Amino acid sequence: MLKLSPAERSELRSEAHGLNPVVMIGEAGLTPSVLKEIDASLNAHGLIKVRVFGDDRDARIEMYENICEKLGAAPVQHIGKLLVMYRPKKEEVKGRNEKRGKGLREVTIVKPSPSGTKKPTVTKVILKGNERVTAGGNIKRAKPRQSSIKKSSLGRTR
């Protein structure tokens, strides 16, 4: 179980004030599926509120301690039927693959009417990473650059 100093606990209580309960524990109590949902919520948010439907205060305290012990969370606050707990979020490093280019993007193309007196035509088009829109409103694909035979042969002789 994670330990917090009184100052940290106070700060987390103030942050949790505006939160709504994310998980609700019903009559079935603390089932494995409820624990799994609490774990997922802690991973996503770090600080969560859990509402327990039940009138037995001792059962709520026992649930609170069980959850914190099993999931490695810190108990922050227990007021009535609301339980507030905290676990630091895991930092995930998302690296971008070098080979991948840009993804799909939506572009609006506005072409004036040929006569100039009517409304322009507006079309929304989804472009791939290697496509671009020309000044005339046409879609062009990027072509791979051609390399010179002379430059490539000079580079190899060194």
Side-chain angles (χ1 to χ4, degrees):
M1 191 163 36
L2 193 65
K3 297 287 182 185
L4 295 175
S5 69
E8 290 173 325
R9 184 171 279 118
S10 174
E11 187 177 322
L12 289 170
R13 271 197 305 259
S14 66
E15 283 182 38
H17 180 72
L19 295 178
N20 291 324
V22 181
V23 179
M24 305 205 186
I25 301 175
E27 290 180 23
L30 198 59
T31 62
S33 59
V34 170
L35 268 175
K36 185 178 176 184
E37 192 63 33
I38 292 172
D39 187 37
S41 297
L42 282 169
N43 286 338
H45 304 290
L47 180 68
I48 63 167
K49 272 186 185 178
V50 176
R51 182 177 295 280
V52 180
F53 295 111
D55 294 329
D56 189 11
R57 179 173 168 71
D58 296 330
R60 284 195 304 266
I61 293 171
E62 188 178 325
M63 276 186 211
Y64 195 34
E65 291 170 353
N66 269 344
I67 292 168
C68 291
E69 186 178 314
K70 288 181 181 177
L71 300 180
V76 176
Q77 190 176 30
H78 173 208
I79 293 184
K81 297 182 180 186
L82 285 177
L83 313 175
V84 180
M85 53 199 75
Y86 170 75
R87 184 173 69 191
K89 286 197 266 186
K90 296 175 186 170
E91 296 291 326
E92 289 186 27
V93 179
K94 293 184 178 180
R96 188 172 172 101
N97 191 351
E98 296 295 326
K99 293 183 180 180
R100 286 182 43 192
K102 296 179 183 175
L104 298 176
R105 61 190 190 280
E106 187 174 348
V107 178
T108 305
I109 299 174
V110 180
K111 286 187 179 180
S113 67
S115 64
T117 57
K118 297 181 181 176
K119 288 184 179 179
T121 58
V122 178
T123 54
K124 288 192 176 190
V125 181
I126 295 180
L127 297 181
K128 296 176 187 164
N130 66 342
E131 294 176 336
R132 64 184 175 87
V133 178
T134 62
N138 298 323
I139 299 172
K140 291 254 180 153
R141 267 201 196 122
K143 294 178 185 172
R145 287 192 173 179
Q146 294 179 343
S147 59
S148 167
I149 297 171
K150 288 181 183 177
K151 287 183 182 177
S152 61
S153 66
L154 288 176
R156 290 184 188 161
T157 57
R158 288 185 189 174

